[in-house]
Amino acid sequence: MKRSQHLIQGSTIIAVFSVILLTACSNDLSRIKAKSLIVKHNNFPISEYYELEKNHFKMLEKTGAVIAAPMKKEVEEILQYLENNKLIEIQRKRKESSTWMGRYVGHKMMVFIPKKNKKYILKENKHSYNLKTCDINFHKITGIKTYNDYNYAEVEYELKRENWTPFGEFFKTKKPSIIKKNVTMVLYDDGWRIR
C-alpha cells in the first residue's frame, strides 16, 4: 500500500513538472507561431495595385511662360506600355490655349479599360482606376530575436510578389520580388501578439 502511495505521489509530481515545463515552453516564440500571427494580422495574400489616373495631358509644344506641367516620363512610359499591349485604350483630343503668357498645344488623354481587362480593376472612382498588379504573400521568417526580460521579440520576415497580372508585367523588373519586413511581438498573459 505504501509503495502504491509513493508511486501515485511520484506520478503526480512528474505530471505537475510536465505541465510547468510545457507552460514555460509555450512562451517561446516559434517561427510557426510568428508566421501564423503575421499572416492573420495582415490577411495574406493581399493585392498590390497601381493607381492609374483617367485623364492626362501631354504637352506637344509650348511658347512663352505658360504654366503647364509636362507629363512625367514614368507615366508616359506606363501609358505607352499599357496601350501597346492593348490593356488600355486612350482617347486623345487636341487642346490649344493662348494667353498673354504664351501658347501651348497638347493632347488631352482619356484612359479607358477594355471590357476583357476590367477583371483587374480593384477599385474605380471618377478620377482613377486601381489596377491589380500582383499578389503579395507571406514568404518566410528570416529571424527572431527574443528579449525575455522585457517580454517582446523582434521578428524579421519576407513577403513575396507573385501571380503578376498583365498590368503588373511592366513593374515586374522594376520592383523586387522579395520584400523584407520586421515586426515587434509582445508576450501577454494569454500569448504572443503583434504590437
Side-chain angles (χ1 to χ4, degrees):
M1 180 116 173
K2 286 185 179 182
R3 184 176 168 158
S4 63
Q5 247 182 344
H6 288 291
L7 285 174
I8 293 171
Q9 286 176 343
S11 298
T12 305
I13 291 171
I14 290 172
V16 168
F17 279 121
S18 297
V19 169
I20 290 170
L21 182 62
L22 287 173
T23 304
C25 290
S26 69
N27 287 339
D28 290 342
L29 181 60
S30 69
R31 288 178 179 242
I32 293 169
K33 180 65 175 171
K35 174 185 176 181
S36 173
L37 289 168
I38 291 167
V39 169
K40 185 178 177 184
H41 181 77
N42 293 290
N43 293 322
F44 289 115
I46 57 174
S47 295
E48 187 171 57
Y49 65 89
Y50 175 75
E51 185 175 1
L52 179 64
E53 292 182 20
K54 292 182 175 183
N55 295 297
H56 299 271
F57 181 76
K58 182 174 181 178
M59 183 81 65
L60 298 175
E61 67 180 73
K62 170 178 135 175
T63 59
V66 174
I67 302 172
M71 182 184 292
K72 291 182 181 176
K73 185 77 172 154
E74 180 188 11
V75 173
E76 193 171 345
E77 288 174 6
I78 292 168
L79 289 173
Q80 184 177 2
Y81 174 86
L82 296 176
E83 185 178 34
N84 289 347
N85 287 283
K86 307 216 181 320
L87 298 170
I88 63 171
E89 296 170 356
I90 300 176
Q91 182 182 19
R92 292 171 174 81
K93 289 186 181 178
R94 185 174 170 87
K95 185 171 181 174
E96 292 184 46
S97 180
S98 294
T99 67
W100 63 274
M101 293 177 66
R103 174 181 177 277
Y104 71 86
V105 176
H107 282 138
K108 181 178 180 184
M109 301 165 57
M110 292 170 281
V111 176
F112 299 96
I113 306 295
K115 188 175 185 176
K116 68 177 183 163
N117 296 324
K118 287 193 181 284
K119 63 185 172 188
Y120 300 112
I121 299 173
L122 298 176
K123 182 179 166 188
E124 179 181 0
N125 61 42
K126 65 181 183 176
H127 302 291
S128 64
Y129 301 103
N130 287 354
L131 301 167
K132 181 176 178 177
T133 56
C134 65
D135 288 327
I136 296 179
N137 212 338
F138 181 86
H139 183 52
K140 66 180 179 179
I141 299 288
T142 56
I144 299 175
K145 175 68 175 156
T146 306
Y147 300 91
N148 291 328
D149 292 346
Y150 302 102
N151 290 331
Y152 82 94
E154 292 292 329
V155 179
E156 295 175 350
Y157 62 100
E158 293 179 351
L159 305 177
K160 187 173 185 180
R161 287 185 171 99
E162 53 193 17
N163 303 323
W164 291 89
T165 70
F167 286 98
E169 288 297 321
F170 177 85
F171 301 101
K172 197 171 186 177
T173 58
K174 299 177 185 332
K175 293 186 175 190
S177 63
I178 299 294
I179 306 162
K180 296 180 184 286
K181 301 286 248 176
N182 60 49
V183 67
T184 300
M185 296 190 181
V186 180
L187 179 61
Y188 289 87
D189 62 333
D190 62 346
W192 289 93
R193 296 186 211 163
I194 291 179
R195 179 185 290 173

